[in-house]
Amino acid sequence: APDISLANVKAHLSALQTIANQNGGNRASGRPGYPASVSYVAQKLRDAGYNVTLQTCSSCAGSNQNVIAEWPQGDASQVIMLGAHLDSVSAGPGINDNGSGSASILEVALTLARENPAMAKRVRFGWWADEESGLRGSKFYVNSLPQTERTKIKTYLNFDMIGSDNWGYFVYDDVASVKAVFDEYFRTIGIQTEGDTEGDGRSDHASFKSAGIPVGGLATGAGYTKSAAQQQKWGGTAGRPFDSCYHRACDTLSNIPDTPLEKNSDAIAYALWKLAVGTSTGPD
Ligand code: PHE
Ligand code: ZN
Ligand code: ZN
Ligand code: ZN
C-alpha cells in the first residue's frame, strides 16, 4: 500500500479551516460552511476522475448533501466503502471532528486514483451531512439503497476523529476480521491498539451496522479520559481527555498533531489496498 502524504492531508485540513473562517467559524450542516466543504471535496474528486454524486439529504439540516464518489474499476457487485462525516458542530470548525477523517479519506481516494492499481473490488467513498444531530446523512444514504445495493457493500469503514491531541489508537471491534486488518498494520509499525468503545453507536458506521453491513474503523478518542495504562502505551497525558477541544471552538488546525494523522492515514490505505486492490481477494 502507498504511503499517504501527510502534507496533502494537512492541505485539505487547512482548506476546511479556511472555509470555517470564511463562514462564521463552523462547517455545521444547515450553515454555509457545510456546502462550501462539499464543493471543496467534490471538486478534488472530480478532477481525479471519480464519478461524484451529491445526494440531497432531505432529513438533514438545511437539506444538505452527502458526497458519494465511486472509483469506476473492480467488481461492482463487491463494494468496499469508506466514509467520514463532513459536518462540524456549530461551536467550531471541526478540524479533528471530523475534518481529520474527511481529509484523510479524501487523500486516500486521490492516491488511489493517482496509483490506479488493478482492482479486485469496487471502492466507494462517502462524506456525510449532519452526523452531529443524529447520523442523519448516513442514515438517509443507507435508507435510500434498495436491499440489492446494500448487500453489495461487503464492508463499510468509518473514520471520525483520527487526530486527537492526546491521542490513542482505537480500532472498531464490531467485526473481528476487519479489526484484524488494521491491527496487522499497526503491529508492523510497533503500535498497540485497543478496541474502540467510546464511539459505539455514535458515528456513521451505526447506520450501516443497523442495516446488517459489516463495519470497521479507526478513532483516536473524543471526550473520554486517558488512563495511566494508556499513557504508558501511547504517551500523552493521563487524566486528560483524548481531545481537549472536543465539540469546542478550539478544534482548529493548531489542535491537530501530525503523528496520529500520519499513522491513521497510512493504516487506512493499508486496509483499503488489502481489501480491494489486486486481481482477486478471497471468498467474499
Ligand atoms: N465524533 C463523534 C461525534 O461526532 C462521536 C465519537 C466519539 C465518535 C468517539 C467516535 C469515537 O460526536
Ligand atoms: Zn505516511
Ligand atoms: Zn462530533
Ligand atoms: Zn464526529
Side-chain angles (χ1 to χ4, degrees), residues 133-154:
S133 56
L135 319 180
R136 287 187 187 167
S138 58
K139 266 185 202 161
F140 187 89
Y141 174 74
V142 172
N143 288 339
S144 76
L145 294 176
Q147 188 55 34
T148 50
E149 289 301 315
R150 290 184 196 169
T151 57
K152 289 178 186 169
I153 303 177
K154 301 308 175 190

Side-chain angles (χ1 to χ4, degrees), residues 163-187:
S164 308
D165 60 343
N166 189 30
W167 67 91
Y169 290 97
F170 297 102
V171 181
Y172 295 6
D173 57 6
D174 304 81
V175 177
S177 60
V178 177
K179 180 173 187 289
V181 174
F182 286 116
D183 283 344
E184 186 175 274
Y185 176 74
F186 285 110
R187 200 174 324 111

Side-chain angles (χ1 to χ4, degrees), residues 12 22 33 42-43 158 165 192 215 217-218 234 238-239 260 262 281:
H12 303 316
Q22 293 172 343
Q43 195 55 50
N158 192 65
D165 60 343
Q192 295 174 265
V215 302
L218 299 174
W234 296 319
E262 159 81 24
T281 61

Side-chain angles (χ1 to χ4, degrees), residues 3-4 10 14 55 59 62 133 166 208 244 249 259 277 280:
D3 183 36
I4 298 302
K10 289 171 77 172
S14 177
Q55 179 189 45
S59 54
S133 56
N166 189 30
F208 288 80
S244 61
T259 302
V277 172
S280 73

Side-chain angles (χ1 to χ4, degrees), residues 164-166 221-222 240-248 250-251 255:
S164 308
D165 60 343
N166 189 30
R240 303 273 307 158
F242 292 104
D243 184 349
S244 61
C245 288
Y246 180 50
H247 284 179
R248 297 173 60 196
C250 60
D251 183 9
N255 179 50

Side-chain angles (χ1 to χ4, degrees), residues 7-20:
N8 290 0
V9 174
K10 289 171 77 172
H12 303 316
L13 287 175
S14 177
L16 294 175
Q17 177 74 61
T18 299
I19 286 168

Side-chain angles (χ1 to χ4, degrees), residues 85-110:
H85 73 85
L86 186 56
D87 64 314
S88 71
V89 291
S90 56
I95 296 305
N96 185 31
D97 185 13
N98 184 33
S100 62
S102 294
S104 183
I105 67 167
L106 175 58
E107 190 54 29
V108 169
L110 300 180

